[in-house]
Amino acid sequence: ECVLWGDPHVKTFDDASAGFYGDGEFYIVKSDTVTIQGRYKGTKFTAGLAATNKIVVGGPFLQGHLIEVGSLEDDDFAVDDFQLR
């Protein structure tokens, strides 16, 4: 089990814990079948500390498709660049 919450805190598959407070893009999962990437950016709500801004899921199990889920502030939810609302 891997869990992400907050600004962001991470419990990894091997039960370790991590926290990120700077901007950046990181792999959450990277395997032969699935990739999940997270984008973290400072916000006005977190006094500039990073919060999860977007998650992108892809990999062979999706047969070339990408699912993107952004923040409520950005109103970003897309499959293969097609915006869903």
Side-chain angles (χ1 to χ4, degrees), residues 60-72:
F61 87 106
L62 285 176
Q63 300 174 347
H65 300 285
L66 287 177
I67 299 170
E68 302 177 45
V69 180
S71 67
L72 291 174

Side-chain angles (χ1 to χ4, degrees), residues 2-64:
C2 177
V3 180
L4 288 89
W5 72 95
D7 53 2
H9 303 286
V10 180
K11 179 181 167 195
T12 64
F13 288 110
D14 61 358
D15 210 27
S17 296
F20 300 92
Y21 299 104
D23 295 356
E25 295 182 1
F26 303 95
Y27 280 100
I28 299 164
V29 175
K30 186 177 181 184
S31 74
D32 292 339
T33 56
V34 61
T35 58
I36 303 175
Q37 290 179 277
R39 175 182 293 153
Y40 308 99
K41 293 172 62 174
T43 74
K44 62 184 177 185
F45 306 107
T46 58
L49 295 176
T52 305
N53 176 264
K54 182 181 269 192
I55 299 289
V56 179
V57 181
F61 87 106
L62 285 176
Q63 300 174 347

